[in-house]
Amino acid sequence: MNKMDLNMLPHSGSDDDVVKPRSSLLSTAKRMAIFAAPLVVIVGGGAALALMIATAPRPEEKGDTPHAPAVQFATAHARPTTISIGVQGEARPRTEATLAAQVAGRIVWVSPAFVDGGAFREGEVLARVDTADYELAVVRSRAQVAQAEEALAREEAESELARQDWQALGRGEAPPLAVREPQLAQARAALAAAQASLRSAELDLNRASIRAPFTGRMRERRVNVGDYVGPGSPVGVMFATDAVEIRVPLTDADLAAMRIPVGFTATAANPGPVAHVTSATGGRERSWEGRLVRTEASVDARTRLVYGIVEVRDPFNARNAAPLAPGMFVSARLEGSSRETMVAAPRSALKRNEYVYVVTAENTIDIRQVRAAQTTADEVLFREGVADGERVVVSVLTSPREGMAVTPIDRAGESETPATQDQLPIRE
């Protein structure tokens, strides 16, 4: 190795030692910059956000008080009216009976009107049982009566002779046996028994003719000529046509509206509410007039209803446009017996079926619990709780409170507040 080479070796080792520390510092700085960059971004964003919030304009505070909610009202008016309620029910005969034969025998004759729907007067013959045996029984009974009468006459004569003989002997009062009083009593009893037998035979002969027990119509015929019947055998079902009844359900509110108690019975002083009965028959609506004559004396345990009886007199009268036949489903409108003054308001004024919101003179809400006398699809009537001329809320009012301030608007949409006040929408 020459001298030049020897001189160069030390100088090369010194440069490497200088480069290595510099590279290490640069590398460390780069790593710190990489880790610090996100932190700088986050801190800078937070500072910018805080600056924006601090320098943002603040909303101006509104000095006006909030508007009172708007409500639509209607004015209640008092007027004379008659309470009426609508009910429905099925017509049924007031009197109906199953006719039966009272004697045994074969049916030998029936009336031409003895058919389903046939009409009969009271006492009219419906059918006849063979009477031959009963006619013979009458003849035998008459003969027994004649024999008993003859025996009684003989005993009376013998008793009179015995009495005269005893008086001729002059022995005082005659004992009963001496004047044949026991034999006379026996003869009289035998005559009474014979007469009773005759009466029984005549009754059996009369009962061989089956008669209508009342004026009415035949619902169902069960026998015909040639049929054999015994005592108690049903021959038909008949109903009276003097009156038809309609059993209608009444709620407690209906009874209160009509002022009728449970167990009501019509009298001359209180004949009961008038009932206008209607039904669609033959494609037309027919009507009849009746009355609520009584209510049952118990409440149905399942439905909590009381049933009333509407009576329609002479439903098959020719004056009616059509007969009110049993089995027809009808509607009846019961009317109160007298007119009375009540306060009327729109149906929407009644809230939850028991409350009314009245707008006071100070435009606040007065919540009242009421009981409607009558409710229809259009209006509600009150006997008490609402006065004539008061304003009642007819629109929806969310979360009402007693004394709550409102903006009243009549049904025509005109506000009762100053015109400068903003109008709020109402929910119908």
Side-chain angles (χ1 to χ4, degrees):
M1 178 180 302
N2 52 29
K3 187 176 179 179
M4 184 178 293
D5 293 335
L6 290 175
N7 292 331
M8 293 177 63
L9 286 173
H11 293 289
S12 292
S14 178
D15 292 341
D16 290 340
D17 291 341
V18 173
V19 170
K20 287 181 179 179
R22 291 178 179 177
S23 299
S24 177
L25 290 173
L26 182 61
S27 173
T28 302
K30 288 181 179 180
R31 286 195 300 268
M32 291 179 63
I34 291 172
F35 287 110
L39 181 61
V40 172
V41 172
I42 293 173
V43 172
L49 180 62
L51 181 62
M52 292 174 62
I53 294 174
T55 59
R58 296 187 178 183
E60 297 180 1
E61 294 185 0
K62 192 172 183 180
D64 296 340
T65 58
H67 288 290
V71 294
Q72 192 177 47
F73 72 88
T75 304
H77 296 285
R79 71 165 189 265
T81 186
T82 300
I83 288 291
S84 64
I85 59 174
V87 290
Q88 294 179 324
E90 181 182 352
R92 63 183 185 182
R94 186 177 64 176
T95 304
E96 186 172 12
T98 299
L99 308 181
Q102 293 181 279
V103 295
R106 191 174 301 279
I107 300 294
V108 296
W109 178 86
V110 295
S111 170
F114 187 48
V115 292
D116 294 351
F120 291 91
R121 305 293 299 178
E122 182 179 357
E124 189 174 344
V125 178
L126 308 177
R128 288 195 182 96
V129 175
D130 187 5
T131 60
D133 293 339
Y134 304 106
E135 291 174 351
L136 293 175
V138 170
V139 172
R140 286 194 296 269
S141 297
R142 287 174 178 169
Q144 292 174 358
V145 170
Q147 292 175 358
E149 289 175 345
E150 184 273 334
L152 176 59
R154 185 172 60 250
E155 284 297 334
E156 288 176 345
E158 291 181 359
S159 175
E160 182 62 25
L161 289 175
R163 190 179 300 278
Q164 292 176 3
D165 291 343
W166 185 268
Q167 291 176 354
L169 293 175
R171 297 182 178 180
E173 186 67 26
L177 190 60
V179 294
R180 303 182 62 85
E181 287 187 2
Q183 292 84 345
L184 183 60
Q186 182 180 6
R188 289 172 178 165
L191 176 59
Q195 291 174 338
S197 297
L198 174 60
R199 180 59 180 157
S200 177
E202 290 174 344
L203 284 175
D204 288 342
L205 179 60
N206 184 62
R207 289 168 179 167
S209 296
I210 302 173
R211 302 176 183 275
F214 43 72
T215 299
R217 297 269 183 141
M218 186 63 57
R219 182 192 287 273
E220 179 185 1
R221 186 182 74 174
R222 297 186 180 179
V223 297
N224 210 333
V225 175
D227 290 340
Y228 184 88
V229 296
S233 298
V235 298
V237 179
M238 187 176 179
F239 64 88
T241 55
D242 61 335
V244 166
E245 294 182 342
I246 305 164
R247 189 169 181 256
V248 296
L250 300 172
T251 64
D252 183 65
D254 293 336
L255 294 176
M258 304 302 293
R259 296 184 175 180
I260 295 176
V262 176
F264 164 78
T265 301
T267 62
N270 184 10
V274 175
H276 302 286
V277 181
T278 59
S279 177
T281 59
R284 297 178 58 187
E285 187 176 86
R286 314 289 184 175
S287 61
W288 303 267
E289 295 298 320
R291 281 190 178 275
L292 182 70
V293 295
R294 67 180 184 277
T295 60
E296 296 180 358
S298 61
V299 178
D300 191 296
R302 294 179 295 106
T303 62
R304 311 310 302 169
L305 296 175
V306 176
Y307 286 89
I309 305 300
V310 173
E311 183 180 87
V312 177
R313 291 276 185 175
D314 202 7
F316 285 82
N317 194 298
R319 293 191 301 269
N320 297 327
L324 179 57
M328 291 177 61
F329 191 77
V330 299
S331 299
R333 177 155 292 279
L334 305 179
E335 292 189 354
S337 57
S338 61
R339 293 176 65 85
E340 53 185 317
T341 300
M342 286 182 286
V343 177
R347 175 63 181 85
S348 55
L350 186 62
K351 312 297 184 182
R352 291 183 289 172
N353 291 328
E354 60 176 341
Y355 292 101
V356 168
Y357 305 151
V358 177
V359 181
T360 66
E362 293 77 21
N363 290 341
T364 59
I365 291 297
D366 181 14
I367 301 177
R368 300 179 187 176
Q369 187 171 11
V370 295
R371 184 170 186 173
Q374 181 179 0
T375 303
T376 66
D378 300 323
E379 67 176 4
V380 58
L381 301 176
F382 301 99
R383 285 194 175 98
E384 55 186 6
V386 180
D388 181 29
E390 286 189 319
R391 300 176 296 174
V392 293
V393 177
V394 295
S395 60
V396 175
L397 182 59
T398 305
S399 302
R401 302 182 306 278
E402 182 70 26
M404 172 180 168
V406 294
T407 302
I409 301 174
D410 66 14
R411 302 192 77 179
E414 299 176 357
S415 174
E416 290 199 344
T417 55
T420 58
Q421 185 174 348
D422 295 336
Q423 299 300 312
L424 300 180
I426 24 180
R427 184 171 55 186
E428 293 288 347

